[in-house]
């Protein structure tokens, strides 16, 4: 699970044409250290990038129905299962601590062999859901019943869509060989 260093689709580089610069500025969070390489790859298809922003913004924003912790557990596990070091590293560095994930918890989330008992039962359910979706593109009845005891139907839909969105983002990161951010975490820091 490593990202080759040579991009298949190189991120756009400045200077940007005015419209593209405005799009990239709109895509970049105000506190980001720079325009993310992923955004500069997505902006190669400006219409797609522009239309994906509201969805990605909803999933990561305040209007989402999921707490930060739930969201980040799902994202980190999806990226781990997909081998998407780029997106995993960005979220690990930017959100894991704010989500209240300690080192033991984070290790369990990114490891296929770690003892999941260090996680709260609710957190384990999220990992089981991601693993089931990744392996079978479905959730069995017993797991669904357990999930339904903790999340409302609107939140369950959001969890499924969140996992699917980050699966798609992982495809882009991996297949395009998006170069890793210098400030983001690396696999070895958690394994």
């Amino acid at each position: 699970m490593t990202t080759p260093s040579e991009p298949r689709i190189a991120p756009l580089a400045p200077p940007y044409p005015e419209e593209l610069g405005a799009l990239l500025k709109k895509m970049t969070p105000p506190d980001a250290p720079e325009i993310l390489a992923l955004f500069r790859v997505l902006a190669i298809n400006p219409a797609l990038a522009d239309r994906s922003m509201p969805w990605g913004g909803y999933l990561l924003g305040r209007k989402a129905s999921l707490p930060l912790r739930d969201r980040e557990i799902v994202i980190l596990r999806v990226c781990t299962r997909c081998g998407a070091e780029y997106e995993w590293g960005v979220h690990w560095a930017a959100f894991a601590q704010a989500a209240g994930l300690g080192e033991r918890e984070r290790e369990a989330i990114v490891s296929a062999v770690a003892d999941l008992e260090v996680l709260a039962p609710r957190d384990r359910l999220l990992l089981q859901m991601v693993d089931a979706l990744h392996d079978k593109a479905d959730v069995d009845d017993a797991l669904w019943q357990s999930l339904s005891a903790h999340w409302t139907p609107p939140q369950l839909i959001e969890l499924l869509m969140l996992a699917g969105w980050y699966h798609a983002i992982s495809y882009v990161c991996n297949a395009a060989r998006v170069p890793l951010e210098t400030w983001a975490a690396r696999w070895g820091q958690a394994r």
Side-chain angles (χ1 to χ4, degrees):
M1 293 185 354
T2 60
T3 303
S5 59
E6 195 61 37
R8 287 180 173 160
I9 300 176
L12 296 171
Y16 309 111
E18 189 174 332
E19 275 186 37
L20 201 51
L23 173 63
L24 287 166
K25 183 177 181 178
K26 199 164 77 169
M27 293 175 76
T28 304
D31 56 343
E34 59 194 7
I35 299 172
L36 297 177
L38 174 62
F39 295 163
R40 293 183 288 123
V41 168
L42 291 173
I44 289 170
N45 183 333
L48 182 143
D50 187 54
R51 284 163 181 79
S52 68
M53 280 187 340
W55 178 239
Y58 168 79
L59 290 173
L60 298 180
R62 292 189 179 113
K63 292 183 180 178
S65 68
L66 298 172
L68 175 64
R69 182 183 180 89
D70 294 355
R71 181 188 81 201
E72 288 306 315
I73 288 171
V74 169
I75 293 169
L76 290 169
R77 186 63 163 207
V78 167
C79 293
T80 297
R81 291 299 310 270
C82 290
E85 184 176 20
Y86 175 90
E87 193 67 9
W88 172 89
V90 167
H91 277 265
W92 182 284
F95 301 109
Q97 186 172 0
L101 299 172
E103 285 302 317
R104 287 181 49 205
E105 294 163 309
R106 290 192 265 176
E107 177 65 28
I109 291 167
V110 300
S111 173
V113 296
D115 179 12
L116 298 184
E117 293 302 314
V118 301
L119 297 173
R122 180 181 165 99
D123 297 346
R124 281 196 306 270
L125 285 172
L126 292 171
L127 267 57
Q128 292 167 351
M129 180 200 74
V130 169
D131 291 348
L133 290 170
H134 187 83
D135 294 340
K136 301 178 287 185
D138 196 4
V139 174
D140 66 37
D141 290 340
L143 178 54
W144 188 261
Q145 185 175 7
S146 296
L147 291 164
S148 297
H150 293 274
W151 291 276
T152 65
Q155 289 176 315
L156 289 167
I157 292 169
E158 193 170 315
L159 282 168
L160 298 172
M161 294 297 289
L162 177 69
W165 176 251
Y166 278 90
H167 209 119
I169 293 296
S170 293
Y171 287 168
V172 173
C173 293
N174 290 345
R177 307 288 193 259
V178 176
L180 302 176
E181 302 293 346
T182 57
W183 53 268
R186 301 290 186 269
W187 289 129
Q189 294 173 333
R191 294 174 179 241

